[in-house]
Amino acid sequence: MNLDEILLAFDRDLESITSDDELQNLRNNYLGKSGHLTTIMRVMRDLDPKERPIFGQKVNAAKQKIEQALGSMREKLEARKIERALKGTKSIDLSTPLREETGSLHPITIIEQKIIEIFKSMGFSIEDGNEVETEYNNFEAVNVPKDHPARDMQDTFFLDNGELLKTHTSASQNRIMRKYGAPCKVIFPGRCFRNEDVDASHDNTFFQVEGMMINENVSISNLIYFMKEMLSKVFGKDVDVRLRPGFFPFVEPGFELDCKCPYCDGKGCNVCKSTGWIELCPCGMIHPKVLEMGGIDTEKYQGFAFGLGLSRLVMMVYDIDDIRKLNSSDLKILKDFKIK
Ligand code: FA5
């Protein structure tokens, strides 16, 4: 074939192309190593030297023409693919207003982050606890030996391997004492699990924030100071607290810390059930046995610990009437919470 015949044949072949593979074969047939244009270049050798440049230019022009035609065909094939994909789908209305639905933080996360920031600003370190724990850390290390009646206070999910889902954040106390030694100021938020009947204020999965301060001369007034600071910052106003005696094997003395209802300032409302006070978190001076098991010198150091019910605090902040809403996957409920 001469050059004109090659171009005519190419045009004819191009018309029948329907796929990317066919297009690639066509390219190889004309521009490939043994393609028509490559082959015809060999003719140059037999030409009169004067005619060679003219012939070379003609071959290059033909090559360009073929390249362009192959490019256009590639675009056509792409367009056909898109057309096929869109067939049967509804047409797109570009004038439809954009639906600006963005994700939001879970209310537990919002308050947890707030508490973390507040305690950080007061010099506390933040730690993460395990959700699967040893029986030792969850019970023995916090002075709840086997057969101690206090174990019944926290119905436990045991795992087949003898470990358990931690029933309280206190399960991390021993590990953290061993990590930090004394003195230390640490808070450790975490998810806890209890195998108990669920109702509006009890869930089998809930969050606590544990706090611990160990140093020389630490007393319960340090605890009162930090809790007042934290609550006043969470509620954005001065909040009073009070202590009542409470029993927990890991603290001595132990207390229940109540805060004056921030909604009615102690006058009585439906949040505080007309009592003016809200039971907020158990706390106390860490039992010397617990400190010893954590490797702390009890001659020199004392400490306080508290176990704040984070899920219950979140319910209070956002006026949520049922704790189970917090673990629900219903976005209609969860998206209503805005950052306070
Ligand atoms: C404890 O868990 C102790 N470890 C707290 C502690 C730490 C005391 C350090 C002293 C020193 P308690 O079982 O009371 O204590 O739980 C603490 C808080 O967790 C409760 O006040 C409550 O707010 C929350 N809580 C307990 N059980 C549930 C539950 N089933 N659902 C939701 N919140 C719960």
Side-chain angles (χ1 to χ4, degrees), residues 77-290:
L77 288 176
E78 284 305 314
R80 271 183 223 161
K81 269 191 231 163
I82 293 169
E83 213 173 281
R84 269 201 302 273
L86 286 178
K87 224 177 217 168
T89 63
K90 280 185 197 154
S91 60
I92 300 165
D93 179 1
L94 295 175
S95 64
T96 308
L98 194 68
R99 284 216 292 160
E100 289 190 45
E101 275 205 43
T102 50
S104 60
L105 293 177
H106 191 281
I108 296 269
T109 311
I110 295 172
I111 301 301
E112 183 184 294
Q113 285 181 356
K114 203 163 184 167
I115 291 175
I116 286 178
E117 285 318 310
I118 294 168
F119 276 101
K120 255 190 190 169
S121 74
M122 298 192 289
F124 281 73
S125 304
I126 317 300
E127 280 290 326
D128 220 4
N130 298 346
E131 290 188 343
V132 172
E133 264 297 356
T134 58
E135 208 175 336
Y136 174 81
N137 277 335
N138 198 81
F139 292 120
E140 273 96 331
V142 285
N143 200 26
V144 189
K146 277 205 170 70
D147 305 323
H148 192 291
R151 286 212 184 187
D152 298 338
M153 286 157 69
Q154 301 181 1
D155 292 325
T156 310
F157 288 110
F158 282 97
L159 305 179
D160 288 345
N161 66 359
E163 293 186 320
L164 48 83
L165 298 182
K166 78 161 174 250
T167 59
H168 55 173
T169 39
S170 305
S172 306
Q173 280 193 10
N174 186 271
R175 196 176 286 118
I176 290 171
M177 280 180 204
R178 294 195 167 277
K179 177 173 173 184
Y180 284 78
C184 71
K185 272 162 92 185
V186 191
I187 64 157
F188 31 111
R191 186 158 50 168
C192 308
F193 307 85
R194 291 189 195 175
N195 189 4
E196 57 182 55
D197 293 338
V198 297
D199 58 33
S201 50
H202 295 82
D203 210 343
N204 48 30
T205 305
F206 57 96
F207 290 81
Q208 292 184 340
V209 179
E210 186 104 352
M212 203 164 69
M213 176 182 179
I214 302 171
N215 208 336
E216 294 174 51
N217 305 319
V218 169
S219 75
I220 219 67
S221 27
N222 297 107
L223 170 71
I224 294 173
Y225 168 79
F226 287 119
M227 294 312 279
K228 264 185 82 132
E229 277 298 295
M230 185 272 287
L231 291 169
S232 302
K233 284 189 174 134
V234 167
F235 288 103
K237 62 200 280 197
D238 272 356
V239 177
D240 257 350
V241 298
R242 73 174 185 191
L243 294 177
R244 288 176 293 116
F247 171 74
F248 301 91
F250 25 94
V251 282
E252 181 54 41
F255 302 98
E256 287 285 355
L257 184 140
D258 301 335
C259 76
K260 195 177 253 184
C261 179
Y263 295 100
C264 63
D265 288 325
K267 291 186 193 78
C269 65
N270 59 344
V271 178
C272 59
K273 301 195 180 78
S274 307
T275 63
W277 291 90
I278 296 169
E279 189 178 315
L280 202 68
C281 87
C283 55
M285 295 303 290
I286 305 173
H287 197 291
K289 276 194 193 164
V290 176

Side-chain angles (χ1 to χ4, degrees), residues 319-337:
D319 196 15
I320 297 167
D321 58 350
D322 192 320
I323 195 168
R324 288 166 291 195
K325 286 184 180 170
L326 293 173
N327 281 336
S328 103
S329 54
D330 189 344
L331 293 179
K332 273 195 208 114
I333 296 169
L334 295 174
K335 81 173 176 37
D336 284 341
F337 301 106

